[in-house]
Amino acid sequence: MTPPTPEPQRLKFIPTAATFRLGEPLGVGAVGTVYRAESDDVPAPAAVKMLHPHIAHDSGVVDRFQREIVIMERLNHPHIVRHYGGGMMNGQYFYAMELLAHGSLSDRIKRSGPLPWPLAALYTAQIASALQHAHNHGIIHRDLKPTNLFFGDDGRVILGDFGIARDTHDSEGTDPGRTVGTYAYMSPEQICAGGEITGKTDLYSLGCVVYEMLAGRPPFAGANFAQIWDQHLHAAPPSLREQGIECPEWLDHLVAQLLEKDPERRPFNARAVQGYLRDHLEDEFGKDYPQAIRERFAPPNSA
């Protein structure tokens, strides 16, 4: 006997007025399928994520799916994936976003190895700018990692995938006592689950990402999550410069500060990280340091 089709939950967001024509699938995950899409209502090809119909009866999954749409509606920043809204299409929940067709930071590291330190520092400043914008709107990403960082047409880094982001304005969606994130990039307070999750949680993950950009690997590795978690909680990350990795002392210092176990010992906020990098990069490459670094260090056809 075929189970009855569940009644759709009431939408927690205003449906988009845009209509989309689905093209080929770009990827399939546990929650949904992402399609390339076209629309007369948006200026460029889009990516549309459709929630799998067989889990549409799971109120928890639907709530998280809708919460991501609500979160993305609040964010508008050049280094955060652009959002085109969501709604229902053929009885399925969907949301649409900017199509990022140039791969992820993880792809680039796997393909080309560690980045030159000026390029890593430039990308870090861009990520910090995106994080500060999210934090200003009460959003903590909680899953910052190279696979969630993408490249725009002009080569800039763009932060995506807010699927497990914490909305500090939403008391129903805070996952109290639940450990969420990706093992290699999780802060000590995420691992302990009972610790307070603030914007400094994302700063720790940023430290892991910067380390990987410079070393080609995360700061901690192990055979299983328990070994990695133990290092996040208790081990000092190996110094980049002491391993012979080329980077200035001030950048090595910043990475170590971002990876402090105690959140209070990390930088004050993402804006402070961005400003610190700007000052040093201006000293090294001049006021127009972004263009100077891209011209000298960005790989050919990186955009």
Side-chain angles (χ1 to χ4, degrees):
M1 180 177 177
T2 303
T5 302
E7 288 292 326
Q9 297 185 23
R10 182 175 61 85
L11 295 181
K12 297 182 179 179
F13 54 90
I14 298 174
T16 178
T19 58
F20 295 90
R21 301 178 295 276
L22 300 184
E24 74 274 16
L26 301 174
V28 181
V31 171
T33 300
V34 178
Y35 297 87
R36 181 185 178 92
E38 304 282 345
S39 173
D40 297 331
D41 305 303
V42 299
V48 168
K49 185 173 184 178
M50 302 284 293
L51 186 66
H52 290 319
H54 67 270
I55 55 175
H57 65 280
D58 187 324
S59 60
V61 171
V62 173
D63 282 344
R64 287 193 294 275
F65 194 84
Q66 294 205 60
R67 188 164 67 245
E68 184 172 2
I69 297 172
V70 172
I71 284 172
M72 294 308 299
E73 286 178 335
R74 301 217 302 268
L75 303 178
N76 182 16
H77 189 274
H79 296 291
I80 293 177
V81 62
R82 186 181 308 167
H83 186 260
Y84 299 129
M88 301 288 290
M89 185 187 302
N90 301 324
Q92 293 178 249
Y93 292 94
F94 81 92
Y95 68 80
M97 57 196 148
E98 176 182 8
L99 177 63
L100 299 170
H102 300 288
S104 70
L105 178 59
S106 177
D107 297 332
R108 185 166 298 181
I109 294 171
K110 288 176 182 176
R111 183 175 64 246
S112 305
L115 276 57
W117 74 259
L119 197 59
L122 176 63
Y123 291 162
T124 303
Q126 294 177 354
I127 300 165
S129 178
L131 289 176
Q132 188 61 52
H133 178 79
H135 296 166
N136 287 347
H137 288 81
I139 305 302
I140 302 166
H141 192 279
R142 296 200 298 183
D143 201 22
L144 180 64
K145 56 185 177 182
T147 53
N148 286 340
L149 292 160
F150 306 92
F151 291 98
D153 293 341
D154 57 0
R156 73 188 188 282
V157 171
I158 299 176
L159 175 61
D161 197 343
F162 284 73
I164 63 169
R166 181 184 180 197
D167 182 353
T168 59
H169 299 158
D170 178 10
S171 61
E172 296 180 0
T174 56
D175 300 315
R178 182 178 171 214
T179 300
V180 296
T182 301
Y183 304 149
Y185 309 93
M186 289 175 70
S187 67
E189 58 269 27
Q190 279 177 285
I191 293 168
C192 293
E196 183 181 6
I197 303 300
T198 69
K200 294 196 176 190
T201 296
D202 286 340
L203 294 188
Y204 184 92
S205 300
L206 178 59
C208 295
V209 170
V210 186
Y211 194 103
E212 186 166 350
M213 282 194 280
L214 294 166
R217 62 186 184 280
F220 302 119
N224 52 54
F225 76 89
Q227 292 180 5
I228 297 173
W229 280 7
D230 183 69
Q231 293 174 78
H232 280 304
L233 291 171
H234 305 296
S239 164
L240 292 162
R241 285 166 60 86
E242 289 177 4
Q243 296 178 78
I245 295 169
E246 183 182 355
C247 71
E249 185 175 354
W250 59 262
L251 185 54
D252 198 15
H253 171 76
L254 174 63
V255 174
Q257 190 179 12
L258 289 166
L259 291 173
E260 285 282 0
K261 312 300 184 188
D262 180 357
E264 294 303 313
R265 295 176 63 87
R266 296 173 204 155
F268 180 72
N269 58 18
R271 182 73 70 217
V273 175
Q274 183 186 7
Y276 178 87
L277 289 163
R278 181 196 61 230
D279 291 346
H280 282 283
L281 291 174
E282 282 187 358
D283 287 345
E284 185 81 21
F285 298 100
K287 290 288 185 181
D288 195 15
Y289 66 86
Q291 182 175 346
I293 290 172
R294 285 194 298 267
E295 289 176 351
R296 288 179 56 183
F297 299 101
N301 303 319
S302 63

